[in-house]
Amino acid sequence: MKIKLNIDTKGKAIEIPINKCYELTVSCLHNILGNNNEYHDKFSNYSLSPVRGGKLDIARQMLCFNEGTPYFYISSPDDNFIHNVWRKVHFNNGNFEIMGFPVVCEGLMAFQDFRCHHQYDKIKTESPILLKVNGNLITVKDEGFMDALENNCKQKLLHQGINDPSFKL
């Protein structure tokens, strides 16, 4: 499932530095889940998108929202996790913020046409993959990224009870 969270800018134009778009969603999720939650310091069984919905100003390295609503997605095969996030956002009505603007839930969406672990379906990501390796964040541009990504995928499969030594990227 995935959940779409909107940032209610009350119609105000805002700008977000490109290099902060992902950090904002991560910090918002941590605020929603709270300190010492059941997911803290455990294997992440979810994915976050960066803030979306604006126009990119490459020269200024800003994502600009003059009209429309900034939003981001949280997705996970763990329905309980998504429902937990939804409940916390829905019942705390605007108590979670990004840049001083309330975060509101637009709705829950079930994954369509996706059968988890069905011959290791090809999956397209909507945002760049950022991995944490030995406390450092790496991207596709960094040496060792593909090995780290393969290891991460194997760990996620093991977490779901699937041990397939032949898995390769």
Side-chain angles (χ1 to χ4, degrees):
M1 291 190 83
K2 71 179 175 179
I3 185 171
K4 182 178 182 182
L5 297 175
N6 293 332
I7 304 166
D8 185 3
T9 62
K10 311 276 189 224
K12 293 181 183 174
I14 65 167
E15 296 180 337
I16 301 173
I18 293 169
N19 64 348
K20 296 292 182 192
C21 288
Y22 184 74
E23 282 180 39
L24 290 171
T25 61
V26 170
S27 65
C28 182
L29 178 61
H30 284 280
N31 287 336
I32 291 168
L33 295 174
N35 293 331
N36 300 320
N37 61 73
E38 62 186 292
Y39 309 102
H40 189 71
D41 285 338
K42 292 192 175 120
F43 191 77
S44 300
N45 198 16
Y46 58 84
S47 296
L48 290 167
S49 75
V51 178
R52 302 180 162 280
K55 294 193 187 253
L56 184 59
D57 182 336
I58 294 173
R60 295 180 37 235
Q61 294 289 296
M62 299 293 266
L63 193 55
C64 305
F65 300 91
N66 294 322
E67 51 188 63
T69 302
Y71 64 92
F72 64 99
Y73 290 106
I74 304 170
S75 58
S76 175
D78 181 351
D79 292 350
N80 289 329
F81 173 79
I82 295 295
H83 284 285
N84 188 24
V85 170
W86 180 84
R87 275 191 299 276
K88 289 184 178 204
V89 172
H90 183 73
F91 293 112
N92 284 293
N93 221 3
N95 286 341
F96 304 109
E97 297 182 342
I98 288 182
M99 297 177 53
F101 297 106
V103 173
V104 295
C105 180
E106 180 170 308
L108 297 171
M109 292 156 264
F111 291 123
Q112 306 236 337
D113 300 324
F114 176 76
R115 292 168 288 159
C116 192
H117 314 304
H118 179 73
Q119 298 177 359
Y120 304 109
D121 294 336
K122 293 180 181 176
I123 299 172
K124 177 185 171 204
T125 65
E126 292 184 3
S127 50
I129 297 173
L130 185 67
L131 296 174
K132 192 176 214 177
V133 177
N134 299 326
N136 297 313
L137 296 175
I138 65 170
T139 69
V140 70
K141 295 177 183 176
D142 295 309
E143 187 175 324
F145 176 80
M146 288 306 294
D147 290 337
L149 179 60
E150 185 173 300
N151 185 51
N152 185 277
C153 289
K154 285 179 180 179
Q155 291 301 314
K156 286 192 182 250
L157 288 171
L158 281 172
H159 187 72
Q160 294 294 319
I162 298 170
N163 185 6
D164 184 352
S166 67
F167 177 82
K168 297 275 183 225
L169 289 179

